[in-house]
C-alpha cells in the first residue's frame, strides 16, 4: 500500500523551489523599485537634463510677417542660455529647441505694422505648455514658461 503523503525528499525539493522563486521575485521587484527612484539622480549625474520644445508663431490678423525672438540652450550639457533674434520672418513660423531643466523657455513674436500675432510653446511637439496673443496691433505676443526641474516629470 502506498502512502498518500509526499516523501520528505520531495517536500524539501518543493520547499527549495518555492524559496528560490520568492528570492528571484524579490530581487526583480527590488531592482525595479530602485531603478524607478534613482533614474532621475542618474540622469542628473550624467548631465544633459533638458527638454525638447517647439516654438511657434502665427499671424492672427494683418501682414504674415514678424520679428521673432526666442531663448534656448545651445548645448544641453551646459547651463548657458542664448537669445536668438530673427528679423522679418514669414509666419507661420516654428523651430525646435532644447531648454535645460529649471530654465526659462521664451518666445516673442512682434507682428509687422498693425498686425496681431500669436505664439505657442509645445512640449515634444504635442502638448501646449504656454500660449499667448498680441494684446493689441503691433504689440508682441509673448509665451514663456519655466521648465520642470525634474527630468521626465512635467507638471500637469
Amino acid at each position: 500500500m502506498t502512502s498518500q503523503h509526499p516523501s520528505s525528499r520531495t517536500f524539501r525539493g518543493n520547499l527549495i523551489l518555492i524559496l528560490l522563486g520568492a528570492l528571484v521575485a524579490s530581487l526583480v521587484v527590488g531592482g525595479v523599485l530602485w531603478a524607478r527612484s534613482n533614474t532621475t539622480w542618474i540622469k542628473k549625474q550624467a548631465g544633459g537634463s533638458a527638454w525638447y520644445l517647439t516654438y511657434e508663431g502665427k499671424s492672427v490678423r494683418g501682414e504674415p510677417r514678424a520679428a521673432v525672438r526666442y531663448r534656448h540652450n545651445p548645448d544641453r550639457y551646459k547651463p548657458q542660455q542664448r537669445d536668438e533674434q530673427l528679423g522679418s520672418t514669414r509666419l507661420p513660423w516654428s523651430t525646435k529647441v532644447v531648454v535645460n531643466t529649471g530654465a526659462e523657455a521664451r518666445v516673442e513674436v512682434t507682428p509687422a505694422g498693425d498686425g496681431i500675432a500669436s505664439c505657442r510653446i509645445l512640449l515634444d511637439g504635442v502638448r501646449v505648455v504656454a500660449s499667448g496673443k498680441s494684446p493689441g496691433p503691433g504689440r508682441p505676443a509673448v509665451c514663456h514658461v519655466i521648465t520642470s526641474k525634474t527630468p521626465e516629470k512635467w507638471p500637469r
Side-chain angles (χ1 to χ4, degrees):
M1 185 171 198
T2 61
S3 171
Q4 300 238 340
H5 299 290
S7 70
S8 63
R9 186 176 210 176
T10 305
F11 177 74
R12 278 184 289 197
N14 288 342
L15 181 62
I16 290 173
L17 216 62
I18 290 170
L19 290 175
L20 194 59
L23 177 65
V24 168
S26 297
L27 288 173
V28 168
V29 169
V32 167
L33 292 175
W34 180 87
R36 188 172 174 208
S37 64
N38 289 295
T39 300
T40 300
W41 178 83
I42 292 167
K43 284 187 176 189
K44 282 183 181 178
Q45 298 306 311
S49 296
W51 293 99
Y52 293 95
L53 303 173
T54 302
Y55 292 152
E56 292 181 343
K58 292 182 181 177
S59 175
V60 175
R61 186 182 83 210
E63 185 181 349
R65 298 198 79 68
V68 178
R69 182 179 173 140
Y70 63 95
R71 180 170 292 165
H72 67 103
N73 289 86
D75 185 347
R76 67 181 283 171
Y77 296 99
K78 296 179 182 174
Q80 70 210 37
Q81 291 185 329
R82 179 183 297 162
D83 287 332
E84 300 288 339
Q85 189 157 351
L86 308 176
S88 183
T89 304
R90 184 152 179 76
L91 299 179
W93 165 88
S94 73
T95 190
K96 294 179 183 195
V97 297
V98 173
V99 178
N100 286 354
T101 56
E104 182 184 27
R106 181 179 185 86
V107 63
E108 293 180 24
V109 181
T110 306
D114 62 349
I116 293 181
S118 67
C119 62
R120 296 191 317 169
I121 300 175
L122 293 96
L123 175 62
D124 293 329
V126 179
R127 182 175 159 202
V128 177
V129 294
S131 63
K133 184 177 173 184
S134 299
R139 304 276 312 272
V142 179
C143 296
H144 67 94
V145 65
I146 302 298
T147 62
S148 173
K149 292 182 181 182
T150 307
E152 298 180 6
K153 292 184 182 174
W154 193 283
R156 296 260 169 221

